[in-house]
């Protein structure tokens, strides 16, 4: 066993795990902070809703669709000047977070919009008939009713972020993806590749299980 894992430096593996978790945690928080309000605005400006506005909804939808259409590996490279401007570097964990957020916030916003669309129309109309403001509608009806769907969307986004953090290793972002590319692929160290892939699989399974439990808890 030790012979098969002879190329594995466990201290580097541990550091790569910490880098991946830092990228995942930082970018997931920022993705939710940006994607949640964006998804709510997309829903409220759609036809038949409180802020219905065809032009505003069309512009937002176009922006979201354009950002979702760009392959993440291209987005990483295109955003290098913006990333340098925002955080002063395009390398390491810090340099990976801006493109990760830009790549996943529109995706999460669409999932939030979809979850809000599944809220019973009768509930929305009942709240509006009682004279509730848009703020009350959002915080007392839409978000509580759509919470399980939003959590499910956040889980899907987190899983997507894991694959994006691995892809960010191509441009020197650090983490398990970076380790897999530098040692597993470029130096043909199969043992390093196997260990990093297993750790990524474990991380994805953990995120999915945690998300499923939260959805079940808030669905009761």
């Amino acid at each position: 066993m030790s012979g098969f894992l002879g190329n594995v430096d466990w201290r580097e593996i541990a550091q790569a795990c910490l880098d991946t978790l830092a990228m995942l945690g930082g970018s997931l928080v920022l993705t939710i902070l940006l994607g949640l309000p964006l998804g709510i605005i997309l829903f409220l400006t759609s036809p038949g809703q409180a802020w219905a506005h065809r032009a505003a909804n069309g512009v937002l939808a176009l922006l979201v669709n354009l950002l979702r259409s760009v392959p993440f590996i291209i987005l990483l490279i295109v955003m290098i000047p913006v990333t340098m401007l925002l955080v002063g570097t395009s390398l390491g964990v810090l340099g990976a977070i801006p493109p990760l957020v830009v790549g996943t916030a529109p995706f999460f916003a669409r999932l939030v919009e979809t979850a809000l669309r599944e809220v019973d129309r009768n509930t929305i109309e009942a709240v509006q008939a009682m004279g509730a403001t848009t703020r009350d509608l959002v915080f007392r009806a839409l978000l509580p009713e759509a919470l399980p769907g939003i959590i499910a969307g956040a889980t899907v986004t987190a899983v997507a972020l894991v694959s994006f953090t691995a892809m960010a290793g191509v441009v020197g972002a650090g983490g398990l993806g970076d380790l897999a590319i530098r040692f597993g692929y470029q130096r043909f160290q199969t043992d390093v590749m196997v260990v990093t892939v297993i750790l990524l699989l474990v991380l994805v399974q953990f995120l999915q299980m945690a998300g499923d439990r939260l959805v079940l808890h808030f669905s009761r």
Side-chain angles (χ1 to χ4, degrees):
M1 185 71 175
S2 60
F4 175 70
L5 298 176
N7 295 313
V8 178
D9 185 332
W10 293 105
R11 283 180 298 181
E12 278 195 313
I13 292 286
Q15 183 59 51
C17 287
L18 292 176
D19 288 346
T20 295
L21 291 176
M23 280 190 281
L24 177 64
S27 54
L28 183 59
V29 169
L30 291 173
T31 293
I32 290 173
L33 289 177
L34 289 174
L36 183 61
L38 182 57
I40 293 171
I41 293 172
L42 273 169
F43 175 76
L44 291 177
T45 56
S46 61
Q49 302 304 331
W51 292 349
H53 194 291
R54 179 174 293 181
N57 186 261
V59 170
L60 276 177
L62 179 64
L63 179 65
V64 166
N65 289 341
L66 287 175
L67 287 174
R68 288 177 60 200
S69 301
V70 181
F72 184 66
I73 191 69
I74 303 296
L75 188 66
L76 272 173
I77 297 167
V78 169
M79 277 202 60
I80 285 177
V82 179
T83 303
M84 290 287 292
L85 188 65
L86 290 175
V87 298
T89 178
S90 63
L91 301 174
V93 172
L94 203 56
I97 289 179
L100 286 170
V101 174
V102 172
T104 52
F107 175 70
F108 180 61
R110 278 297 188 197
L111 295 177
V112 170
E113 183 193 14
T114 302
L116 294 176
R117 286 189 186 282
E118 291 175 358
V119 175
D120 189 353
R121 182 70 193 171
N122 292 330
T123 302
I124 296 175
E125 289 177 351
V127 173
Q128 289 175 323
M130 287 188 289
T133 63
T134 304
R135 179 190 176 92
D136 291 334
L137 175 67
V138 170
F139 288 101
R140 296 187 179 183
L142 290 175
L143 289 181
E145 290 291 325
L147 188 57
I150 293 173
I151 293 172
T155 304
V156 172
T157 305
V159 170
L161 271 170
V162 172
S163 65
F164 285 176
T165 60
M167 216 180 298
V170 174
V171 294
L176 290 167
D178 180 53
L179 213 59
I181 291 168
R182 283 193 295 119
F183 293 92
Y185 177 67
Q186 295 177 345
R187 300 185 188 179
F188 304 105
Q189 294 179 353
T190 306
D191 48 357
V192 177
M193 180 69 85
V194 169
V195 169
T196 53
V197 168
I198 289 174
L199 288 172
L200 287 170
L201 290 174
V202 169
L203 180 57
V204 167
Q205 288 301 315
F206 172 78
L207 288 171
Q208 190 62 59
M209 288 172 60
D212 289 345
R213 288 201 171 201
L214 283 173
V215 170
L216 186 63
H217 175 75
F218 286 102
S219 297
R220 290 171 181 167

